[in-house]
């Protein structure tokens, strides 16, 4: 299977449930992306998003609930990272 196909499959699996939630889904995906970019450091990720750490905790919890992802599971983290990266590089221009 080609890498773009894997990326599309992971987007459908891990991020598609957020798409039906509009702006709320966008915020939740941004929360997960910031958390990953900051090496799973909650306080650092919250600072980059200009939100309180408790707000970020809530968004990450909701991300997990909606997507069926466990952000403490390395396999899930890898899939979420791949899906977010694929979407960032293959998203249609605004």
């Amino acid at each position: 299977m080609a890498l773009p196909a894997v990326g599309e499959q992971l987007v459908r699996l891990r991020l598609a449930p957020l798409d039906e939630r509009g702006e709320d889904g966008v915020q939740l995906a941004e929360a997960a992306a910031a958390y990953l970019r900051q090496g799973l450091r909650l306080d650092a990720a919250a600072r980059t998003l200009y939100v309180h750490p408790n707000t970020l905790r809530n968004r990450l919890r909701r991300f997990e609930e909606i997507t069926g992802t466990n952000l403490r599971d390395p396999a899930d983290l890898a899939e979420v990272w791949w899906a977010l990266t694929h979407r960032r590089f293959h998203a249609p221009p605004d």
Side-chain angles (χ1 to χ4, degrees), residues 3-4 6-7 10-11 77-87:
L3 292 181
V6 173
L10 290 172
V11 166
L77 282 172
E79 289 181 359
V80 168
W81 174 84
W82 193 330
L84 289 166
T85 301
H86 179 84
R87 182 172 271 180

Side-chain angles (χ1 to χ4, degrees), residues 35-70:
Y35 184 61
L36 289 168
R37 277 193 310 272
Q38 295 301 319
L40 310 182
R41 293 184 341 255
L42 190 94
D43 289 338
R47 279 193 301 276
T48 66
L49 295 171
Y50 302 102
V51 298
H52 191 277
N54 287 339
T55 299
L56 181 56
R57 274 187 197 91
N58 182 49
R59 288 180 185 175
L60 294 174
R61 180 188 52 76
R62 289 178 33 233
F63 178 90
E64 289 180 316
E65 289 173 356
I66 293 166
T67 63
T69 300
N70 179 348

Side-chain angles (χ1 to χ4, degrees), residues 22-40:
E23 186 58 34
D24 186 48
V26 170
Q27 278 189 342
L28 298 178
E30 288 173 352
Y35 184 61
L36 289 168
R37 277 193 310 272
Q38 295 301 319
L40 310 182

